Amino acid sequence: MDDLRDKYLGLIADAPDEATLETLRVQAVGKKGEVSLAMRELGRMTPEERQVAGPKLNALKDEINSALMAKKQALADAALDERLRAEWLDVTLPSRPRRVGTIHPISQVTEEVTAIFADMGFTVAEGPQIESDWYNFDALNIPGHHPARAEMDTFYTHRAEGDDRPPHVLRTHTSPVQIRAMQDQGAPIRVIAPGRVYRADYDQTHTPMFHQVEGLAIDRDISMANLKWVLEEFVKSFFEVDNVELRFRASHFPFTEPSAEVDIRCSWEGGTLKVGEGDDWLEILGSGMVHPHVLRSGNVDPDEWQGFAFGMGIDRIAMLKYGIPDLRAFFDSDLRWLRHYGFSALDVPTLHGGLSR
């Protein structure tokens, strides 16, 4: 047994790799290994001989197995050390560049507009995008014969035969939010309502789905002068100019009286819009004093309260400010467009703070 012990412990110690180590394991303690064959001879021995030889053979088998395991671990450690010496990483090097997500221009401009009006005391109001015919038209003094109520202009939701519920539409403007806000909050009130709206139209300056922001201010002594000041402050802040000239043109909207289209003085030098200078005028929004019928729809008494309202396309003012030529590009362009016009979340103004662009 001493010869077997010395033989295999020496071979195991000199084994150069795990393959050699496995061969030695089979030769020593495998089913037909030398130690295993010696243990089979115990059956031919006398009880006295087995009491002596049995413990020695078991101890030899355990010693050889322990040596095999220790050598296997030593070979693995040596292989790891060699790999660590051959492979290394300089952790002081900069990491590989990774593309980061960007904010869509519509989302960015919505936050810009919201932040500007928040500084003037306007809060954000929201409402459903699928509206009842009453909130979308009747409450806003839009008569039944108005072209906007035709199916060629407005998306009506499908109703099964025999369904007598009032018709519902994909809202054509965010004005219904003004009605809901008045009903919920009463007067005085000062809110803006940004959101998606839908109309059956599609060309370079119109899409079936687009974005609007509408504003509403109700108090006892509000006038068109207040409206003009609010819009001037907005235009100066949004287009980042010190001076701006607005022009109010008489118009007609069913939900305001009097009503006015609002233009800004500008120039188009080299195809680039410059606000506040030049000899051109550019229409940017519609506005007016809230019609008494609209106030009543919002449960506000027009004999005690009055106010102004305005509305503009978020997509349109985004195009003007950031030089985006086609409204349809907001919705059907690929990632290259977004990488060109998109905004980093880390260095642009948002409601959550940040730097001025």
Side-chain angles (χ1 to χ4, degrees):
M1 292 186 191
D2 291 340
D3 291 341
L4 284 177
R5 178 182 180 280
D6 294 341
K7 172 185 175 182
Y8 283 107
L9 292 183
L11 291 173
I12 291 171
D14 296 336
D17 52 48
E18 290 193 22
T20 303
L21 205 61
E22 176 62 17
T23 301
L24 291 173
R25 185 194 68 80
V26 173
Q27 291 176 356
V29 295
K31 289 184 177 181
K32 297 182 179 180
E34 291 188 65
V35 176
S36 300
L37 292 176
M39 295 185 75
R40 292 179 187 177
E41 295 297 324
L42 292 174
R44 298 190 182 95
M45 298 181 183
T46 64
E48 292 79 11
E49 290 174 331
R50 281 199 298 270
Q51 288 181 356
V52 175
K56 289 184 178 180
L57 285 171
N58 284 327
L60 175 61
K61 183 178 179 181
D62 291 342
E63 190 173 2
I64 290 174
N65 282 329
S66 296
L68 288 167
M69 292 177 61
K71 183 62 177 182
K72 184 176 181 179
Q73 184 62 49
L75 289 173
D77 291 344
L80 179 59
D81 290 341
E82 181 62 27
R83 181 180 174 186
L84 291 174
R85 284 192 294 269
E87 300 177 10
W88 61 279
L89 176 66
D90 186 351
V91 296
T92 66
L93 291 175
S95 62
R96 294 185 180 93
R98 297 177 62 187
R99 289 191 182 276
V100 296
T102 53
I103 298 175
H104 194 280
I106 293 298
S107 299
Q108 172 62 23
V109 170
T110 299
E111 289 207 1
E112 291 182 25
V113 169
T114 304
I116 292 170
F117 282 112
D119 286 341
M120 291 186 277
F122 287 81
T123 59
V124 174
E126 296 180 325
Q129 295 182 41
I130 299 178
E131 272 291 7
S132 70
D133 195 59
W134 186 85
Y135 275 106
N136 197 79
F137 295 121
D138 295 324
L140 295 164
N141 199 40
I142 299 175
H145 62 271
H146 195 280
R149 302 184 76 147
E151 290 190 356
M152 67 179 65
D153 289 333
T154 296
F155 296 106
Y156 283 84
T157 59
H158 175 73
R159 287 186 296 169
E161 185 176 351
D163 187 344
D164 296 328
R165 290 177 300 172
H168 281 68
V169 301
L170 297 183
R171 66 183 182 189
T172 60
H173 43 192
T174 58
S175 299
V177 179
Q178 298 180 13
I179 302 297
R180 293 180 178 275
M182 285 188 286
Q183 290 177 341
D184 292 341
Q185 303 177 36
I189 188 173
R190 195 180 303 183
V191 296
I192 59 168
R196 293 186 181 93
V197 296
Y198 306 85
R199 296 179 189 175
D201 206 351
Y202 187 70
D203 57 34
Q204 187 174 0
T205 57
H206 300 85
T207 53
M209 188 274 286
F210 56 103
H211 301 80
Q212 276 189 344
V213 58
E214 301 199 13
L216 172 72
I218 304 293
D219 213 320
R220 297 188 186 277
D221 299 314
I222 284 183
S223 67
M224 290 286 285
N226 301 120
L227 168 65
K228 184 173 184 292
W229 178 86
V230 166
L231 296 179
E232 284 179 345
E233 291 300 306
F234 168 75
V235 172
K236 287 191 290 186
S237 296
F238 182 75
F239 289 103
E240 301 177 28
V241 294
D242 295 328
N243 297 299
V244 65
E245 185 177 348
L246 300 186
R247 181 176 68 179
F248 282 63
R249 288 181 291 106
S251 185
H252 169 71
F253 304 115
F255 28 81
T256 52
E257 181 61 38
S259 304
E261 302 276 5
V262 180
D263 306 331
I264 55 173
R265 182 180 291 278
C266 65
S267 67
W268 292 92
E269 294 182 7
T272 300
L273 174 67
K274 293 185 178 180
V275 175
E277 60 183 61
D279 298 324
D280 293 326
W281 293 91
L282 176 68
E283 178 204 332
I284 59 168
L285 58 89
S287 65
M289 299 298 291
V290 182
H291 195 286
H293 176 83
V294 176
L295 292 175
R296 293 190 189 97
S297 299
N299 298 330
V300 174
D301 187 351
D303 294 327
E304 294 186 31
W305 305 92
Q306 62 187 35
F308 62 75
F310 58 85
M312 70 187 85
I314 293 177
D315 314 61
R316 176 170 170 75
I317 61 175
M319 293 172 66
L320 294 174
K321 182 173 181 178
Y322 296 111
I324 301 170
D326 193 322
L327 180 64
R328 293 169 293 187
F330 282 118
F331 310 103
D332 58 12
S333 296
D334 58 26
L335 286 177
R336 291 170 296 180
W337 182 91
L338 188 57
R339 288 171 189 149
H340 179 76
Y341 288 108
F343 294 83
S344 167
L346 300 178
D347 61 4
V348 293
T350 71
L351 291 178
H352 314 296
L355 302 177
S356 176
R357 185 177 178 86

